[in-house]
Amino acid sequence: MNIYNYFNSFIKAEIKELQLKDKLPLDSIIDGISVDPPRQINHGDLACNAAMVLAKKVKLDPISIAKLISKRIITHSDVEKVDIAGPGFLNITLKKNVWHDQLRNVLKAGEKFGDSEIGKGKSINVEYVSANPTGPLHVGHARGAVFGDVLSSLLEKTGYEVTREYYINDAGAQIDILARSLYRRYCEKLGQESYEKPEGFYPGEYLIDLADKLVIKDKKHWLDKPESEWLPELSRYTVDEMMKLIRKDLSDLGIEQSTFISEKSIVERGMVDTVLNMLDEKGLIYTGVLEPPKGMKPESWEERPQKLFRSTSFGDDIDRPLKKSDDSWTYFASDLAYHLDKYKRGFTNLINVWGADHGGYIKRVQAGINALTEGNVNLDIKLCQLVRLLENGEAAKMSKRAGTYVTISELVDYVGRDVVRFIMLTRKNDAQLDFDIIKAQEQSRDNPVFYVQYAHARSYSVERMAKDAFNAQSFDYKNLQKCDLSLLNGSDELALIKLIALWPRIVEMASEAQEPHRIAFYLNELASSFHSLWSKVREDESFRFVVTDNLELTQARLALVCGLRTVISSGLNILGVEPLEELRG
RNA sequence: GCGCCCGUAGCUCAGCUGGAUAGAGCGUCGGCCUUCUAAGCCGAAUGUCGCAGGUUCGAAUCCUGCCGGGCGCGCCA
């Protein structure tokens, strides 16, 4: 438990005591009470709004309530002093040894420091990427992929049991087109061009490569055969091969999902019919005619009765069609079946990571899943906005393999996996992201990946020097845990310890908000704080980490550096970025 | 037309789900290398938090209405 939560519970308990002793009314509200790190340094270590929250319902002024509570808080052995400030804030200053103990906890717990149990006993299904198996992944997919992967790690860090899932859209019409495109390439290989390029032809080079493989595998077997003979087989073959490509791309990014669910298998198991029957039984299906959307030119619009799901009963804007004009299921229908499948596999907490262009789809899926599960499922949908690839501020143009877009493997080859992963998290998921592939490789303050890695590497640099100056054994973790941390009493050192001690809170809040970018921002701040302390020695010799005539002080300072390193490394591990011990070769 | 997202320093963005005097980087200007790696650090200047109302002890944050930008809106997935 982090100290903010700890004091939150403590203060609430004390307030209950006061209520029992009739000092405060019993019905006063405790819910909105929070304990936070204050923004201003002179506001102490913890700021609590309890008095103001209580004053809301009780007809007492906040200041006198604050006085009442502060008398209780001051009895805690960790508390140095309590100030009442502003409109009724309780500003709590903790004894220095509390912070020293926090640092000691980091050294004892190692990377487990920051683990939380807020998700203990809960399982959650995170579905991400789920790109159509029609070609290699591109940059837009990379963002959703990294986001989903890091969100999963973050949830695991806070105790959730996470299933990382990929939904393979291997059933729609675009798969037929893909197979026909491959067939065309196959014919080309064998010197026959009479088979026309199909409508919506996939032009990427990867299909030429695949056609090579197919010729080697099946020789001329499919040549001059009717489509009905080769289409089913080649569809299956192409999807399998595309999924190999995609999984390769994902593994280049360090992503390995445990569960792959095929749309085709959902359909073949009759799940779509099940969904239709369920909705029908609930009276949520009818045949109707949709209005054409206003503001759009309905050129080819023809009014047509179709089978509709009454999603407006569940908060959607219009009712949604389940069947196309050719009587086949819409994507929506099979997607409902897929989500029902998740529920039947035992998941009630679902997260889907989608591209922002699918935003208009959220309400209907939530409506559908609510209808199918009686509201038992909580489905969160995270949208990732576009990524704009830049080269020194100009739009990047480095695409070759896929025809029209930059692929993940091109990007990873160019800047490296760690850079891709980190940069993808330097923006909130729902804000657009500019990814400058030149700047992302710079070794400068501009490049957050470098900046954080540099701080991490510097910690090793200090350790090496300390070990050179004394005997190495004095600095192993066991000895550092036991050393006298009270020697760390400079304001800069204490400030750094406090920032390190913030880590568990950052983790919990990022997890609750489902916002992995907060980890990246925090690491940047932590690195900055360390670089700053590091440079202090230029103004004042006494800031030297390694003090050659003082082993105890050097141990204490190295303990601080190791604590910092542990947190950085633990943060980078959540991001899936490898912490480096040295930056120059 | 409707729905979702966004609007914060010259630029790019944070802002801890309602807290105190709104922050960081870049850029600009001015400092710090006989170095525990200057691949870095320090200082200065910079704001109608899009606009207008509302909710309350307290709003960049929540609600409503505008303005401006992005995405989407049956027979694609």
PDB file of all heavy atoms in Angstrom, chain A residues 488-519:
ATOM      1  N   LEU A 488      20.931  10.791   4.337  1.00  0.00           N
ATOM      2  CA  LEU A 488      20.336  11.476   3.187  1.00  0.00           C
ATOM      3  C   LEU A 488      19.372  12.532   3.705  1.00  0.00           C
ATOM      4  O   LEU A 488      18.182  12.303   3.847  1.00  0.00           O
ATOM      5  CB  LEU A 488      19.580  10.472   2.313  1.00  0.00           C
ATOM      6  CG  LEU A 488      20.403   9.335   1.713  1.00  0.00           C
ATOM      7  CD1 LEU A 488      19.492   8.301   1.070  1.00  0.00           C
ATOM      8  CD2 LEU A 488      21.394   9.872   0.696  1.00  0.00           C
ATOM      9  N   ASN A 489      19.886  13.702   4.032  1.00  0.00           N
ATOM     10  CA  ASN A 489      18.961  14.707   4.555  1.00  0.00           C
ATOM     11  C   ASN A 489      19.002  16.040   3.811  1.00  0.00           C
ATOM     12  O   ASN A 489      18.404  17.012   4.245  1.00  0.00           O
ATOM     13  CB  ASN A 489      19.169  14.904   6.050  1.00  0.00           C
ATOM     14  CG  ASN A 489      20.641  15.170   6.358  1.00  0.00           C
ATOM     15  OD1 ASN A 489      21.370  15.586   5.461  1.00  0.00           O
ATOM     16  ND2 ASN A 489      21.060  14.936   7.575  1.00  0.00           N
ATOM     17  N   GLY A 490      19.677  16.064   2.688  1.00  0.00           N
ATOM     18  CA  GLY A 490      19.621  17.268   1.853  1.00  0.00           C
ATOM     19  C   GLY A 490      18.251  17.387   1.209  1.00  0.00           C
ATOM     20  O   GLY A 490      17.584  16.383   0.974  1.00  0.00           O
ATOM     21  N   SER A 491      17.842  18.602   0.941  1.00  0.00           N
ATOM     22  CA  SER A 491      16.491  18.778   0.407  1.00  0.00           C
ATOM     23  C   SER A 491      16.351  18.147  -0.980  1.00  0.00           C
ATOM     24  O   SER A 491      15.289  17.630  -1.329  1.00  0.00           O
ATOM     25  CB  SER A 491      16.129  20.262   0.360  1.00  0.00           C
ATOM     26  OG  SER A 491      17.046  20.938  -0.476  1.00  0.00           O
ATOM     27  N   ASP A 492      17.427  18.168  -1.775  1.00  0.00           N
ATOM     28  CA  ASP A 492      17.348  17.550  -3.098  1.00  0.00           C
ATOM     29  C   ASP A 492      17.248  16.041  -3.001  1.00  0.00           C
ATOM     30  O   ASP A 492      16.522  15.403  -3.749  1.00  0.00           O
ATOM     31  CB  ASP A 492      18.583  17.918  -3.924  1.00  0.00           C
ATOM     32  CG  ASP A 492      18.664  19.414  -4.142  1.00  0.00           C
ATOM     33  OD1 ASP A 492      17.972  19.900  -5.045  1.00  0.00           O
ATOM     34  OD2 ASP A 492      19.383  20.085  -3.384  1.00  0.00           O
ATOM     35  N   GLU A 493      18.011  15.498  -2.048  1.00  0.00           N
ATOM     36  CA  GLU A 493      17.960  14.046  -1.873  1.00  0.00           C
ATOM     37  C   GLU A 493      16.583  13.612  -1.385  1.00  0.00           C
ATOM     38  O   GLU A 493      16.006  12.649  -1.903  1.00  0.00           O
ATOM     39  CB  GLU A 493      19.040  13.612  -0.871  1.00  0.00           C
ATOM     40  CG  GLU A 493      20.440  13.739  -1.439  1.00  0.00           C
ATOM     41  CD  GLU A 493      21.524  13.611  -0.369  1.00  0.00           C
ATOM     42  OE1 GLU A 493      21.275  14.003   0.796  1.00  0.00           O
ATOM     43  OE2 GLU A 493      22.599  13.122  -0.695  1.00  0.00           O
ATOM     44  N   LEU A 494      16.062  14.350  -0.418  1.00  0.00           N
ATOM     45  CA  LEU A 494      14.734  13.997   0.088  1.00  0.00           C
ATOM     46  C   LEU A 494      13.669  14.151  -1.004  1.00  0.00           C
ATOM     47  O   LEU A 494      12.764  13.327  -1.110  1.00  0.00           O
ATOM     48  CB  LEU A 494      14.383  14.870   1.295  1.00  0.00           C
ATOM     49  CG  LEU A 494      15.076  14.433   2.584  1.00  0.00           C
ATOM     50  CD1 LEU A 494      14.947  15.504   3.663  1.00  0.00           C
ATOM     51  CD2 LEU A 494      14.521  13.106   3.078  1.00  0.00           C
ATOM     52  N   ALA A 495      13.817  15.179  -1.820  1.00  0.00           N
ATOM     53  CA  ALA A 495      12.842  15.378  -2.892  1.00  0.00           C
ATOM     54  C   ALA A 495      12.867  14.198  -3.859  1.00  0.00           C
ATOM     55  O   ALA A 495      11.814  13.727  -4.317  1.00  0.00           O
ATOM     56  CB  ALA A 495      13.147  16.671  -3.639  1.00  0.00           C
ATOM     57  N   LEU A 496      14.061  13.700  -4.138  1.00  0.00           N
ATOM     58  CA  LEU A 496      14.159  12.559  -5.042  1.00  0.00           C
ATOM     59  C   LEU A 496      13.547  11.307  -4.405  1.00  0.00           C
ATOM     60  O   LEU A 496      12.832  10.544  -5.068  1.00  0.00           O
ATOM     61  CB  LEU A 496      15.623  12.306  -5.433  1.00  0.00           C
ATOM     62  CG  LEU A 496      15.882  11.207  -6.447  1.00  0.00           C
ATOM     63  CD1 LEU A 496      15.053  11.402  -7.714  1.00  0.00           C
ATOM     64  CD2 LEU A 496      17.367  11.124  -6.812  1.00  0.00           C
ATOM     65  N   ILE A 497      13.813  11.122  -3.113  1.00  0.00           N
ATOM     66  CA  ILE A 497      13.206   9.971  -2.429  1.00  0.00           C
ATOM     67  C   ILE A 497      11.686  10.059  -2.493  1.00  0.00           C
ATOM     68  O   ILE A 497      10.994   9.071  -2.750  1.00  0.00           O
ATOM     69  CB  ILE A 497      13.654   9.907  -0.958  1.00  0.00           C
ATOM     70  CG1 ILE A 497      15.158   9.639  -0.876  1.00  0.00           C
ATOM     71  CG2 ILE A 497      12.897   8.807  -0.222  1.00  0.00           C
ATOM     72  CD1 ILE A 497      15.707   9.695   0.536  1.00  0.00           C
ATOM     73  N   LYS A 498      11.163  11.263  -2.296  1.00  0.00           N
ATOM     74  CA  LYS A 498       9.703  11.421  -2.320  1.00  0.00           C
ATOM     75  C   LYS A 498       9.136  11.097  -3.692  1.00  0.00           C
ATOM     76  O   LYS A 498       8.055  10.521  -3.815  1.00  0.00           O
ATOM     77  CB  LYS A 498       9.316  12.849  -1.913  1.00  0.00           C
ATOM     78  CG  LYS A 498       9.523  13.098  -0.428  1.00  0.00           C
ATOM     79  CD  LYS A 498       9.284  14.545  -0.044  1.00  0.00           C
ATOM     80  CE  LYS A 498       9.745  14.772   1.400  1.00  0.00           C
ATOM     81  NZ  LYS A 498       9.601  16.191   1.812  1.00  0.00           N
ATOM     82  N   LEU A 499       9.873  11.479  -4.716  1.00  0.00           N
ATOM     83  CA  LEU A 499       9.421  11.174  -6.077  1.00  0.00           C
ATOM     84  C   LEU A 499       9.453   9.667  -6.327  1.00  0.00           C
ATOM     85  O   LEU A 499       8.549   9.106  -6.950  1.00  0.00           O
ATOM     86  CB  LEU A 499      10.309  11.915  -7.082  1.00  0.00           C
ATOM     87  CG  LEU A 499       9.799  12.024  -8.519  1.00  0.00           C
ATOM     88  CD1 LEU A 499       8.402  12.616  -8.560  1.00  0.00           C
ATOM     89  CD2 LEU A 499      10.755  12.853  -9.359  1.00  0.00           C
ATOM     90  N   ILE A 500      10.498   9.024  -5.829  1.00  0.00           N
ATOM     91  CA  ILE A 500      10.591   7.568  -5.949  1.00  0.00           C
ATOM     92  C   ILE A 500       9.427   6.907  -5.211  1.00  0.00           C
ATOM     93  O   ILE A 500       8.802   5.971  -5.706  1.00  0.00           O
ATOM     94  CB  ILE A 500      11.941   7.073  -5.380  1.00  0.00           C
ATOM     95  CG1 ILE A 500      13.086   7.508  -6.293  1.00  0.00           C
ATOM     96  CG2 ILE A 500      11.934   5.561  -5.211  1.00  0.00           C
ATOM     97  CD1 ILE A 500      14.471   7.260  -5.705  1.00  0.00           C
ATOM     98  N   ALA A 501       9.123   7.449  -4.041  1.00  0.00           N
ATOM     99  CA  ALA A 501       8.053   6.867  -3.219  1.00  0.00           C
ATOM    100  C   ALA A 501       6.678   7.073  -3.841  1.00  0.00           C
ATOM    101  O   ALA A 501       5.707   6.439  -3.447  1.00  0.00           O
ATOM    102  CB  ALA A 501       8.089   7.475  -1.814  1.00  0.00           C
ATOM    103  N   LEU A 502       6.611   7.938  -4.825  1.00  0.00           N
ATOM    104  CA  LEU A 502       5.351   8.198  -5.522  1.00  0.00           C
ATOM    105  C   LEU A 502       4.990   7.054  -6.478  1.00  0.00           C
ATOM    106  O   LEU A 502       3.846   6.926  -6.902  1.00  0.00           O
ATOM    107  CB  LEU A 502       5.492   9.512  -6.300  1.00  0.00           C
ATOM    108  CG  LEU A 502       4.244  10.320  -6.614  1.00  0.00           C
ATOM    109  CD1 LEU A 502       3.463  10.638  -5.364  1.00  0.00           C
ATOM    110  CD2 LEU A 502       4.640  11.596  -7.345  1.00  0.00           C
ATOM    111  N   TRP A 503       5.971   6.262  -6.821  1.00  0.00           N
ATOM    112  CA  TRP A 503       5.805   5.215  -7.849  1.00  0.00           C
ATOM    113  C   TRP A 503       4.562   4.340  -7.646  1.00  0.00           C
ATOM    114  O   TRP A 503       3.762   4.186  -8.576  1.00  0.00           O
ATOM    115  CB  TRP A 503       7.087   4.402  -7.927  1.00  0.00           C
ATOM    116  CG  TRP A 503       7.061   3.190  -8.815  1.00  0.00           C
ATOM    117  CD1 TRP A 503       7.347   1.913  -8.464  1.00  0.00           C
ATOM    118  CD2 TRP A 503       6.751   3.145 -10.226  1.00  0.00           C
ATOM    119  NE1 TRP A 503       7.241   1.073  -9.545  1.00  0.00           N
ATOM    120  CE2 TRP A 503       6.873   1.806 -10.634  1.00  0.00           C
ATOM    121  CE3 TRP A 503       6.371   4.102 -11.167  1.00  0.00           C
ATOM    122  CZ2 TRP A 503       6.642   1.395 -11.941  1.00  0.00           C
ATOM    123  CZ3 TRP A 503       6.132   3.693 -12.478  1.00  0.00           C
ATOM    124  CH2 TRP A 503       6.264   2.359 -12.853  1.00  0.00           C
ATOM    125  N   PRO A 504       4.361   3.778  -6.446  1.00  0.00           N
ATOM    126  CA  PRO A 504       3.191   2.903  -6.302  1.00  0.00           C
ATOM    127  C   PRO A 504       1.876   3.627  -6.587  1.00  0.00           C
ATOM    128  O   PRO A 504       0.936   3.044  -7.142  1.00  0.00           O
ATOM    129  CB  PRO A 504       3.238   2.478  -4.830  1.00  0.00           C
ATOM    130  CG  PRO A 504       4.643   2.690  -4.414  1.00  0.00           C
ATOM    131  CD  PRO A 504       5.142   3.861  -5.202  1.00  0.00           C
ATOM    132  N   ARG A 505       1.847   4.898  -6.238  1.00  0.00           N
ATOM    133  CA  ARG A 505       0.641   5.683  -6.495  1.00  0.00           C
ATOM    134  C   ARG A 505       0.452   5.911  -7.999  1.00  0.00           C
ATOM    135  O   ARG A 505      -0.661   5.815  -8.518  1.00  0.00           O
ATOM    136  CB  ARG A 505       0.749   7.020  -5.757  1.00  0.00           C
ATOM    137  CG  ARG A 505      -0.407   7.956  -5.975  1.00  0.00           C
ATOM    138  CD  ARG A 505      -0.148   9.258  -5.210  1.00  0.00           C
ATOM    139  NE  ARG A 505      -0.955  10.356  -5.732  1.00  0.00           N
ATOM    140  CZ  ARG A 505      -2.116  10.713  -5.214  1.00  0.00           C
ATOM    141  NH1 ARG A 505      -2.609  10.066  -4.184  1.00  0.00           N
ATOM    142  NH2 ARG A 505      -2.783  11.720  -5.733  1.00  0.00           N
ATOM    143  N   ILE A 506       1.555   6.211  -8.674  1.00  0.00           N
ATOM    144  CA  ILE A 506       1.496   6.394 -10.126  1.00  0.00           C
ATOM    145  C   ILE A 506       0.951   5.130 -10.802  1.00  0.00           C
ATOM    146  O   ILE A 506       0.091   5.182 -11.670  1.00  0.00           O
ATOM    147  CB  ILE A 506       2.896   6.712 -10.688  1.00  0.00           C
ATOM    148  CG1 ILE A 506       3.437   8.025 -10.110  1.00  0.00           C
ATOM    149  CG2 ILE A 506       2.887   6.732 -12.211  1.00  0.00           C
ATOM    150  CD1 ILE A 506       2.784   9.265 -10.647  1.00  0.00           C
ATOM    151  N   VAL A 507       1.478   4.003 -10.363  1.00  0.00           N
ATOM    152  CA  VAL A 507       1.062   2.728 -10.957  1.00  0.00           C
ATOM    153  C   VAL A 507      -0.436   2.509 -10.751  1.00  0.00           C
ATOM    154  O   VAL A 507      -1.165   2.192 -11.690  1.00  0.00           O
ATOM    155  CB  VAL A 507       1.864   1.564 -10.344  1.00  0.00           C
ATOM    156  CG1 VAL A 507       1.287   0.226 -10.770  1.00  0.00           C
ATOM    157  CG2 VAL A 507       3.327   1.649 -10.749  1.00  0.00           C
ATOM    158  N   GLU A 508      -0.887   2.710  -9.542  1.00  0.00           N
ATOM    159  CA  GLU A 508      -2.305   2.464  -9.260  1.00  0.00           C
ATOM    160  C   GLU A 508      -3.196   3.416 -10.049  1.00  0.00           C
ATOM    161  O   GLU A 508      -4.221   3.021 -10.598  1.00  0.00           O
ATOM    162  CB  GLU A 508      -2.592   2.636  -7.766  1.00  0.00           C
ATOM    163  CG  GLU A 508      -2.147   1.431  -6.964  1.00  0.00           C
ATOM    164  CD  GLU A 508      -2.653   1.450  -5.531  1.00  0.00           C
ATOM    165  OE1 GLU A 508      -3.274   2.460  -5.121  1.00  0.00           O
ATOM    166  OE2 GLU A 508      -2.411   0.454  -4.821  1.00  0.00           O
ATOM    167  N   MET A 509      -2.807   4.670 -10.097  1.00  0.00           N
ATOM    168  CA  MET A 509      -3.658   5.633 -10.775  1.00  0.00           C
ATOM    169  C   MET A 509      -3.655   5.398 -12.282  1.00  0.00           C
ATOM    170  O   MET A 509      -4.693   5.516 -12.937  1.00  0.00           O
ATOM    171  CB  MET A 509      -3.211   7.054 -10.447  1.00  0.00           C
ATOM    172  CG  MET A 509      -3.358   7.325  -8.960  1.00  0.00           C
ATOM    173  SD  MET A 509      -3.075   9.031  -8.516  1.00  0.00           S
ATOM    174  CE  MET A 509      -4.660   9.717  -8.870  1.00  0.00           C
ATOM    175  N   ALA A 510      -2.511   5.058 -12.810  1.00  0.00           N
ATOM    176  CA  ALA A 510      -2.443   4.769 -14.250  1.00  0.00           C
ATOM    177  C   ALA A 510      -3.299   3.551 -14.567  1.00  0.00           C
ATOM    178  O   ALA A 510      -3.992   3.507 -15.580  1.00  0.00           O
ATOM    179  CB  ALA A 510      -1.002   4.540 -14.681  1.00  0.00           C
ATOM    180  N   SER A 511      -3.260   2.569 -13.687  1.00  0.00           N
ATOM    181  CA  SER A 511      -4.032   1.357 -13.911  1.00  0.00           C
ATOM    182  C   SER A 511      -5.525   1.641 -13.820  1.00  0.00           C
ATOM    183  O   SER A 511      -6.311   1.203 -14.655  1.00  0.00           O
ATOM    184  CB  SER A 511      -3.635   0.301 -12.880  1.00  0.00           C
ATOM    185  OG  SER A 511      -4.500  -0.809 -12.937  1.00  0.00           O
ATOM    186  N   GLU A 512      -5.918   2.406 -12.811  1.00  0.00           N
ATOM    187  CA  GLU A 512      -7.343   2.705 -12.653  1.00  0.00           C
ATOM    188  C   GLU A 512      -7.870   3.551 -13.803  1.00  0.00           C
ATOM    189  O   GLU A 512      -8.983   3.362 -14.260  1.00  0.00           O
ATOM    190  CB  GLU A 512      -7.590   3.409 -11.312  1.00  0.00           C
ATOM    191  CG  GLU A 512      -7.684   2.405 -10.175  1.00  0.00           C
ATOM    192  CD  GLU A 512      -7.727   3.055  -8.810  1.00  0.00           C
ATOM    193  OE1 GLU A 512      -7.469   4.272  -8.708  1.00  0.00           O
ATOM    194  OE2 GLU A 512      -8.002   2.326  -7.836  1.00  0.00           O
ATOM    195  N   ALA A 513      -7.039   4.473 -14.265  1.00  0.00           N
ATOM    196  CA  ALA A 513      -7.465   5.320 -15.377  1.00  0.00           C
ATOM    197  C   ALA A 513      -7.258   4.618 -16.718  1.00  0.00           C
ATOM    198  O   ALA A 513      -7.690   5.111 -17.745  1.00  0.00           O
ATOM    199  CB  ALA A 513      -6.702   6.634 -15.353  1.00  0.00           C
ATOM    200  N   GLN A 514      -6.593   3.476 -16.684  1.00  0.00           N
ATOM    201  CA  GLN A 514      -6.237   2.747 -17.903  1.00  0.00           C
ATOM    202  C   GLN A 514      -5.473   3.654 -18.851  1.00  0.00           C
ATOM    203  O   GLN A 514      -5.792   3.771 -20.031  1.00  0.00           O
ATOM    204  CB  GLN A 514      -7.497   2.165 -18.554  1.00  0.00           C
ATOM    205  CG  GLN A 514      -8.247   1.254 -17.596  1.00  0.00           C
ATOM    206  CD  GLN A 514      -9.530   0.678 -18.162  1.00  0.00           C
ATOM    207  OE1 GLN A 514     -10.001   1.102 -19.202  1.00  0.00           O
ATOM    208  NE2 GLN A 514     -10.097  -0.306 -17.470  1.00  0.00           N
ATOM    209  N   GLU A 515      -4.463   4.324 -18.304  1.00  0.00           N
ATOM    210  CA  GLU A 515      -3.671   5.275 -19.080  1.00  0.00           C
ATOM    211  C   GLU A 515      -2.170   5.021 -18.935  1.00  0.00           C
ATOM    212  O   GLU A 515      -1.503   5.663 -18.129  1.00  0.00           O
ATOM    213  CB  GLU A 515      -4.011   6.704 -18.643  1.00  0.00           C
ATOM    214  CG  GLU A 515      -5.392   7.122 -19.071  1.00  0.00           C
ATOM    215  CD  GLU A 515      -5.726   8.566 -18.726  1.00  0.00           C
ATOM    216  OE1 GLU A 515      -5.001   9.179 -17.938  1.00  0.00           O
ATOM    217  OE2 GLU A 515      -6.729   9.068 -19.261  1.00  0.00           O
ATOM    218  N   PRO A 516      -1.662   4.089 -19.707  1.00  0.00           N
ATOM    219  CA  PRO A 516      -0.251   3.729 -19.578  1.00  0.00           C
ATOM    220  C   PRO A 516       0.717   4.879 -19.856  1.00  0.00           C
ATOM    221  O   PRO A 516       1.850   4.833 -19.397  1.00  0.00           O
ATOM    222  CB  PRO A 516      -0.062   2.600 -20.592  1.00  0.00           C
ATOM    223  CG  PRO A 516      -1.288   2.547 -21.414  1.00  0.00           C
ATOM    224  CD  PRO A 516      -2.368   3.230 -20.665  1.00  0.00           C
ATOM    225  N   HIS A 517       0.269   5.900 -20.570  1.00  0.00           N
ATOM    226  CA  HIS A 517       1.204   6.997 -20.865  1.00  0.00           C
ATOM    227  C   HIS A 517       1.692   7.671 -19.591  1.00  0.00           C
ATOM    228  O   HIS A 517       2.756   8.272 -19.584  1.00  0.00           O
ATOM    229  CB  HIS A 517       0.555   8.019 -21.786  1.00  0.00           C
ATOM    230  CG  HIS A 517      -0.443   8.913 -21.105  1.00  0.00           C
ATOM    231  ND1 HIS A 517      -1.753   8.544 -20.901  1.00  0.00           N
ATOM    232  CD2 HIS A 517      -0.301  10.136 -20.545  1.00  0.00           C
ATOM    233  CE1 HIS A 517      -2.380   9.523 -20.268  1.00  0.00           C
ATOM    234  NE2 HIS A 517      -1.535  10.500 -20.031  1.00  0.00           N
ATOM    235  N   ARG A 518       0.932   7.555 -18.524  1.00  0.00           N
ATOM    236  CA  ARG A 518       1.350   8.198 -17.270  1.00  0.00           C
ATOM    237  C   ARG A 518       2.666   7.626 -16.772  1.00  0.00           C
ATOM    238  O   ARG A 518       3.427   8.312 -16.105  1.00  0.00           O
ATOM    239  CB  ARG A 518       0.281   8.019 -16.198  1.00  0.00           C
ATOM    240  CG  ARG A 518      -0.995   8.733 -16.520  1.00  0.00           C
ATOM    241  CD  ARG A 518      -1.908   8.707 -15.326  1.00  0.00           C
ATOM    242  NE  ARG A 518      -3.236   9.183 -15.686  1.00  0.00           N
ATOM    243  CZ  ARG A 518      -4.168   9.496 -14.811  1.00  0.00           C
ATOM    244  NH1 ARG A 518      -3.910   9.371 -13.519  1.00  0.00           N
ATOM    245  NH2 ARG A 518      -5.340   9.910 -15.209  1.00  0.00           N
ATOM    246  N   ILE A 519       2.910   6.370 -17.058  1.00  0.00           N
ATOM    247  CA  ILE A 519       4.169   5.745 -16.652  1.00  0.00           C
ATOM    248  C   ILE A 519       5.322   6.434 -17.379  1.00  0.00           C
ATOM    249  O   ILE A 519       6.334   6.790 -16.775  1.00  0.00           O
ATOM    250  CB  ILE A 519       4.173   4.236 -16.985  1.00  0.00           C
ATOM    251  CG1 ILE A 519       2.985   3.524 -16.330  1.00  0.00           C
ATOM    252  CG2 ILE A 519       5.495   3.598 -16.563  1.00  0.00           C
ATOM    253  CD1 ILE A 519       2.997   3.528 -14.825  1.00  0.00           C
TER     254      ILE A 519
END
